[in-house]
């Protein structure tokens, strides 16, 4: 590396000395940035080419760097007997740095050999100069350029720069006034907008009140329909249970009479069988009648479901027009969930009734099949 050229417009001796000092510092720092920190490449060919004196000097410098790092990392008062104090370590490292700088400036080939050995050892994946050092050198270069520009500026150029600054400042103040005016207009527009929003809010509140009225009316109608359906269902269930119990009791009595009379005499067996068949026919008629009544109730329930679906569709259309009413929508969803739970409960009860009727039919079908089988065996 060579010393950077001093700008030609510098005429002041002190300014030239400042620029020379900066250039010399940059040159030395650039050379030092090429030397690996706290370690040297372990290349025998590099050590042979550099020589024993240079290698020993570089090894001592690396040892002093490691010693300085250890001293700065150790708290005060905890230094052992092997480590010097911070001031001594700093002085030794400064002296070694000056010696290494003189050596590298006198023999630039040492830097090239160090870089080649380091690149060979790292396999080309490690940067020659650290990122921190690169930023530091860039900052010093920028400082050098700014100092050169400032020291090389004449009185006329400085005056022209100040006038330009005042002109820019005036334009900036004018722009600030325009911004204030625009902000004032913005506040007026915002006030007009808020008045418009207030009027729209009043319309929305009115529509919300209308929607609440419709929702409450629909909820009352749904509750009345649910209560009526529940009462009718309970009445039908109680009637069916009583009829089923009576039929089961009658069937048990007939079976008992059939067994006792079969033991007493065989002559009345045919009459008892006819009576039994007549009773079973009556039971089947009752079952058929019950099935028909349950079917009618099911059709009524379907009609109620259709009405509910239509009202739900109307409610969905209203919700599409009032999407901002989230709270009211949550209340409507809760009402729909309760209706769905009630419908699910009614369906569960209907399934229980259907399952009971199916079991009764299965029992009588089984008895009919057994009776036919007995007749075949008797024939």
């Amino acid at each position: 590396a060579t010393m950077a050229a001093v700008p030609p417009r510098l005429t002041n001796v002190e300014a030239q000395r400042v620029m020379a000092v900066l250039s010399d510092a940059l040159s030395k720092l650039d050379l030092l940035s090429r030397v690996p920190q706290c370690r040297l490449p372990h290349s025998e060919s590099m050590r042979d080419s550099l020589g024993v004196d240079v290698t020993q000097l570089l090894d001592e410098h690396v040892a002093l760097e490691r010693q300085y790092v250890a001293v700065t990392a150790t708290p005060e008062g905890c230094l052992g007997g092997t480590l010097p104090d911070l001031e001594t370590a700093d002085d030794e490292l400064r002296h070694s740095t000056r010696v290494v700088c003189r050596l590298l400036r006198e023999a630039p080939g040492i830097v090239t050999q160090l870089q080649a050995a380091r690149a060979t050892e790292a396999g080309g994946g490690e940067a020659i100069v650290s990122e921190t050092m690169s930023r530091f050198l860039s900052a010093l270069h920028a400082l050098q350029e700014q100092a050169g520009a400032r020291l090389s500026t004449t009185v006329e150029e400085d005056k022209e720069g100040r006038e330009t600054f005042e002109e820019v400042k005036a334009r900036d103040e004018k722009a600030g006034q325009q911004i204030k005016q625009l902000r004032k207009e913005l506040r007026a527009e915002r006030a007009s907008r808020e008045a418009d929003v207030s009027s729209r809010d009043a319309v929305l509140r009115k529509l919300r009140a209308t929607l609440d009225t419709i929702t409450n009316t629909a909820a009352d109608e749904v509750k009345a329909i649910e209560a009526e359906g529940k009462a009718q269902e309970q009445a039908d269930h109680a009637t069916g249970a009583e009829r089923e119990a009576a039929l089961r009791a009658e069937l048990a009595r007939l079976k008992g009479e059939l067994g006792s009379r079969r033991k007493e005499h065989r002559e009345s067996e045919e009459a008892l069988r006819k009576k039994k068949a007549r009773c079973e026919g009556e039971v089947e008629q009752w079952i058929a009648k019950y099935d028909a009544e349950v079917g009618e109730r099911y059709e009524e329930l379907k009609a109620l479901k259709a009405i509910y679906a239509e009202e739900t569709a109307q409610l969905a259309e209203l919700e599409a027009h009032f999407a901002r009413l989230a709270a009211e929508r949550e209340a409507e969803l809760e009402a729909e969930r309760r209706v769905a739970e009630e419908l699910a409960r009614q369906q569960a009860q209907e399934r229980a009734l259907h399952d009971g009727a199916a079991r009764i039919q299965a029992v009588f079908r089984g008895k009919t099949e057994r009776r036919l089988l007995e007749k075949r065996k008797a024939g």
Side-chain angles (χ1 to χ4, degrees):
T2 59
M3 183 179 299
V6 178
R9 296 186 62 182
L10 289 178
T11 57
N12 187 282
V13 177
E14 286 77 8
Q16 293 180 5
R17 291 182 62 184
V18 169
M19 296 304 299
V21 169
L22 287 175
S23 299
D24 184 65
L26 279 172
S27 176
K28 292 180 180 179
L29 287 173
D30 184 67
L31 290 174
L32 288 175
S33 65
R34 310 290 176 171
V35 179
Q37 186 178 2
C38 296
R39 72 180 183 85
L40 291 175
H42 297 285
S43 175
E44 296 298 333
S45 60
M46 185 268 297
R47 294 178 178 272
D48 293 338
S49 61
L50 291 179
V52 178
D53 295 337
V54 174
T55 303
Q56 183 178 0
L57 181 62
L58 293 177
D59 288 337
E60 291 177 356
H61 181 70
V62 169
L64 290 174
E65 286 182 342
R66 293 176 179 173
Q67 174 182 275
Y68 182 80
V69 171
V71 170
T72 54
T74 304
E76 296 183 3
C78 298
L79 297 175
T82 59
L83 294 177
D85 55 11
L86 180 60
E87 184 178 358
T88 303
D90 184 69
D91 292 339
E92 292 177 352
L93 183 59
R94 286 174 183 271
H95 176 71
S96 177
T97 302
R98 287 193 291 269
V99 173
V100 171
C101 284
R102 285 195 296 271
L103 175 65
L104 296 179
R105 294 187 67 175
E106 293 172 358
I110 297 175
V111 176
T112 304
Q113 294 179 9
L114 286 174
Q115 292 177 352
R118 186 178 181 184
T120 303
E121 182 178 346
E126 184 179 357
I128 300 301
V129 182
S130 65
E131 182 180 357
T132 304
M133 193 64 182
S134 298
R135 292 199 301 267
F136 180 64
L137 290 175
S138 299
L140 284 181
H141 278 293
L143 176 62
Q144 182 186 20
E145 293 175 358
Q146 292 179 4
R150 185 69 182 88
L151 293 174
S152 61
T153 302
T154 62
V155 177
E156 291 77 10
E157 291 174 346
D158 185 64
K159 182 179 180 181
E160 183 180 356
R162 292 181 181 275
E163 291 176 352
T164 303
F165 174 75
E166 293 296 333
E167 183 180 355
V168 172
K169 182 179 179 182
R171 287 201 301 267
D172 183 68
E173 291 177 354
K174 183 178 179 181
Q177 293 177 358
Q178 292 177 353
I179 290 173
K180 290 180 180 179
Q181 181 64 24
L182 290 175
R183 286 179 177 174
K184 183 178 180 181
E185 295 176 358
L186 177 62
R187 285 194 295 269
E189 181 65 23
R190 184 176 297 171
S192 175
R193 181 65 177 175
E194 289 177 354
D196 188 16
V197 171
S198 299
S199 63
R200 293 185 181 182
D201 288 341
V203 175
L204 286 176
R205 285 193 294 271
K206 183 177 180 181
L207 292 175
R208 187 183 293 112
T210 304
L211 179 61
D212 292 338
T213 303
I214 294 174
T215 302
N216 294 332
T217 304
D220 294 338
E221 292 178 356
V222 169
K223 289 180 180 179
I225 293 173
E226 290 176 354
E228 183 180 356
K230 183 176 181 182
Q232 187 64 34
E233 182 182 358
Q234 291 177 352
D236 294 341
H237 182 70
T239 304
E242 292 176 357
R243 291 178 180 177
E244 182 181 357
L247 291 174
R248 288 182 180 277
E250 183 68 16
L251 181 60
R253 186 182 64 79
L254 292 175
K255 287 182 178 180
E257 291 180 359
L258 178 61
S260 61
R261 290 183 181 182
R262 182 181 292 174
K263 291 180 182 179
E264 292 176 357
H265 50 81
R266 296 282 182 175
E267 295 178 357
S268 59
E269 182 178 356
E270 188 65 22
L272 292 174
R273 287 183 177 179
K274 291 180 180 181
K275 185 177 180 181
K276 179 182 178 182
R278 185 174 64 255
C279 292
E280 290 177 351
E282 291 178 358
V283 171
E284 292 176 355
Q285 291 177 1
W286 282 111
I287 291 174
K289 184 177 180 181
Y290 173 75
D291 290 340
E293 291 179 355
V294 171
E296 291 176 358
R297 295 291 179 261
Y298 181 72
E299 291 299 327
E300 291 178 359
L301 183 59
K302 286 177 64 179
L304 291 175
K305 287 181 179 179
I307 293 172
Y308 171 73
E310 182 180 0
E311 292 180 351
T312 304
Q314 293 176 357
L315 183 60
E317 292 177 358
L318 290 174
E319 289 174 351
H321 292 285
F322 305 103
R324 295 183 181 180
L325 305 179
E328 287 76 5
R329 177 58 179 163
E330 292 295 332
E332 292 170 2
L333 290 176
E334 182 63 21
E336 290 177 4
R337 185 185 65 77
R338 290 197 298 269
V339 171
E341 290 177 352
E342 183 62 25
L343 289 175
R345 188 182 65 78
Q346 292 178 4
Q347 290 175 358
Q349 292 178 353
E350 289 175 4
R351 286 196 296 271
L353 293 175
H354 289 311
D355 292 344
R359 286 196 293 271
I360 294 173
Q361 291 176 357
V363 171
F364 281 102
R365 288 194 187 102
K367 291 185 178 296
T368 302
E369 293 295 329
R370 286 195 295 273
R371 184 173 66 251
L372 293 175
L373 183 61
E374 289 176 359
K375 287 182 180 180
R376 290 174 185 173
K377 289 182 178 180

